[in-house]
Amino acid sequence: MPQFEKKMNLSQYGTTKNVLIFTFAALLACACDSPASTPSTPDAGMTQPPPPFDGNGIANYCDLPGSIQFTDAGVVQVPGVETDKISFLRLPNGFCAHYFGSVSNTRQLRFAPGGELFVASPTTVTTGGGAGGRSAILFLPDDNRDGYADSNNVFLGNLPSTQGILFTNGYFYYQDDTKILRIPYQAGDRMASAMAETVADIQIYHSSLHWPKPLDVADDGTIYVGNGGDQGEACVEPHPFHGGILKLDGSPGGTPVAQGFRNPIAVRCQRGTNLCFAAELAKDYSATQAGREKLMPIHQGDDWGFPCCATKDTPYLPDGSTTSTVANPDCSGVAPEDASFLIGDTPFSFDFEPGNWPAPYTKSAFVPLHGTAGGWLGERVVAIQIDPATGMPMTATDTDGGQSADAMTDFATGWYDGKNDHGRPAAATFSPDGRLFIGNDNNGDIFWIAPLDLAIASNVTSN
């Protein structure tokens, strides 16, 4: 059984995060809002795929050439290509890693119903600072099932401000700046088959930096979308809806669900529970004011307190950087979080293990932490245990420097070496066959992780 790794003591960093101030300047009308497709072209930075793969009777993903296995007897490298791209990684014994492909400025990963990995690669400046984006949504198939992407192709182009992508109910939903659009999608489609239609144009508040609009769908069919606020907002009561979660329900701009966010950078729903969650990048430089990043459930009517409150019953302390017209903001109605992170951990994404992995990781939430701005300290992927009875994260925090015995443990480490040369983990998604795919935005590398005994699936499609 894999063992938890001891959490890193990161209390020395928590006061900075990537802050970039950059200024750029109804429903269901079947409008021609974006081109249906652009020709499928490879990413110039894509490594050439290996020769055709014949399988040779290989039964488990971790035995594929190019895998690095972490075993009780030590680290084992299965001969193959591109192992140097993942040689920095450290995983618990009982798992392996394998390089998959590359897309510059990878910001969001999703699997299509036919098994292709879709990647959002924007160019508009936002938190994270990844370079070389494609202004596109790309797809990476692995038709020969050798564990590597066969190619790297544009599905939709001319999308400088894109991050949220979602497959559901026969459609592909995607973000184009303030708009959420959709096109019909069937398994195996590798070119858009129709013009896009606008589902919503979210103008309730627009941040030039926190513009990403992550998407996911609950078991009941509700599609949630995140909308970013801004760092310098004044504490006024009542505070208008800026950063928060909306639902796509037929209204032209979506309907607000929960507010009081600074930057809800990721939205994910846990299958079989009808529960959805958001990852919040909270107020910069607030570690000394009880500030914390959060992983929180999405509930109608919740207020998470920004810009007035750090958490329930805890207002932000005056620090000279926040304008406030409220001397003592009332934080009693702020929703409490179960999982929290140091300011500067920067939880950029997350996904839920679907039930194929061994304990203690079964059904856990896996969260890539982007680390601090500049130094990138804290880069890693953590696992947070989920209460099987409620579907909620168990109590988990590293705001104490990782000293508490709780439900959060370091799972994948090795990025931080003081050289900033391994990229930064920014996106996570589980494939239908049970592999965890991690994308890096600062070098574009995408790799997958699997248990050593995870069998190669013969025919698996996503939901």
Side-chain angles (χ1 to χ4, degrees):
M1 177 181 297
Q3 298 298 312
F4 279 15
E5 293 187 22
K6 183 178 180 181
K7 290 191 292 186
M8 300 167 63
N9 187 338
L10 302 175
S11 58
Q12 68 268 34
Y13 78 92
T15 59
T16 62
K17 189 168 54 182
N18 193 9
V19 184
L20 301 172
I21 307 301
F22 217 93
T23 303
F24 286 112
L27 172 77
L28 302 179
C30 189
C32 299
D33 292 293
S34 67
S37 66
T38 54
S40 294
T41 55
D43 189 329
M46 179 65 185
T47 302
Q48 291 298 313
F53 179 68
D54 62 12
N56 294 320
I58 295 175
N60 297 326
Y61 284 111
C62 288
D63 294 324
L64 288 171
S67 298
I68 297 179
Q69 303 174 349
F70 294 81
T71 75
D72 292 338
V75 178
V76 176
Q77 183 171 308
V78 182
V81 299
E82 303 293 6
T83 54
D84 60 310
K85 289 181 176 289
I86 56 172
S87 60
F88 69 91
L89 277 173
R90 295 295 178 266
L91 303 175
N93 291 346
F95 290 86
C96 78
H98 192 289
Y99 173 79
F100 184 71
S102 181
V103 173
S104 301
N105 199 24
T106 290
R107 294 281 299 192
Q108 183 80 73
L109 301 175
R110 286 282 188 177
F111 276 92
E116 301 91 346
L117 181 66
F118 273 58
V119 183
S121 174
T123 50
T124 301
V125 172
T126 185
T127 302
R134 299 291 307 280
S135 291
I137 297 168
L138 302 96
F139 67 94
L140 282 68
D142 179 15
D143 293 331
N144 64 359
R145 307 183 66 78
D146 64 353
Y148 298 95
D150 303 324
S151 58
N152 183 325
N153 310 279
V154 172
F155 184 76
L156 292 171
N158 193 27
L159 294 169
S161 302
T162 192
Q163 179 154 323
I165 53 178
L166 172 67
F167 295 90
T168 186
N169 197 32
Y171 287 95
F172 176 53
Y173 290 76
Y174 64 96
Q175 176 191 0
D176 182 4
D177 198 18
T178 62
K179 293 181 178 180
I180 306 299
L181 302 103
R182 72 179 187 180
I183 57 175
Y185 191 91
Q186 296 182 353
D189 284 354
R190 296 185 178 183
M191 181 177 293
S193 60
M195 298 303 293
E197 63 176 326
T198 299
V199 177
D201 190 357
I202 299 173
Q203 298 281 356
I204 191 168
Y205 183 82
H206 177 65
S207 169
S208 60
L209 179 62
H210 302 150
W211 54 260
K213 292 180 170 44
L215 298 160
D216 208 356
V217 58
D219 292 341
D220 65 7
T222 303
I223 297 176
Y224 293 104
V225 56
N227 191 67
D230 279 307
Q231 171 75 6
E233 295 183 36
C235 176
V236 295
E237 293 181 344
H239 195 272
F241 187 102
H242 287 178
I245 306 297
L246 304 101
K247 61 182 177 181
L248 305 182
D249 61 356
S251 58
T255 297
V257 173
Q259 68 178 59
F261 292 74
R262 173 181 171 271
N263 184 13
I265 193 66
V267 171
R268 281 284 184 168
C269 298
Q270 188 180 26
R271 300 292 166 242
T273 66
N274 203 38
L275 293 173
C276 297
F277 300 81
E280 160 75 334
L281 305 187
K283 181 182 173 184
D284 287 330
Y285 315 114
S286 66
T288 59
Q289 304 173 59
R292 75 285 308 274
E293 324 273 30
K294 302 173 184 177
L295 181 66
M296 61 264 271
I298 297 172
H299 292 144
Q300 182 69 48
D302 276 353
D303 190 325
W304 292 93
F306 181 81
C308 300
C309 305
T311 188
K312 184 175 177 61
D313 298 323
T314 307
Y316 283 118
L317 302 175
D319 66 350
S321 68
T322 301
T323 301
S324 176
T325 59
V326 181
N328 296 295
D330 180 6
C331 298
S332 62
V334 172
E337 77 280 353
D338 293 310
S340 60
F341 311 88
L342 278 170
I343 295 293
D345 268 2
T346 326
F348 252 41
S349 178
F350 63 99
D351 201 6
F352 296 94
E353 195 282 314
N356 299 312
W357 286 24
Y361 302 108
T362 313
K363 297 294 183 75
S364 290
F366 285 80
V367 186
L369 301 179
H370 205 241
T372 58
W376 300 5
L377 179 63
E379 300 169 292
R380 64 202 196 277
V381 176
V382 298
I384 299 175
Q385 290 181 302
I386 301 298
D387 186 327
T390 65
M392 295 290 292
M394 299 173 69
T395 301
T397 188
D398 66 0
T399 57
D400 58 359
Q403 301 304 305
S404 296
D406 60 22
M408 183 190 303
T409 58
D410 289 340
F411 178 76
T413 60
W415 279 269
Y416 181 74
D417 60 4
K419 300 178 182 178
N420 298 356
D421 55 1
H422 302 310
R424 304 178 77 180
T429 195
F430 274 90
S431 63
D433 53 40
R435 289 175 290 170
L436 172 61
F437 281 68
I438 300 292
N440 294 266
D441 61 354
N442 276 251
N443 67 2
D445 288 345
I446 301 169
F447 61 85
W448 51 261
I449 297 170
L452 292 179
D453 60 355
L454 184 66
I456 295 176
S458 59
N459 184 20
V460 179
T461 58
S462 63
N463 55 14

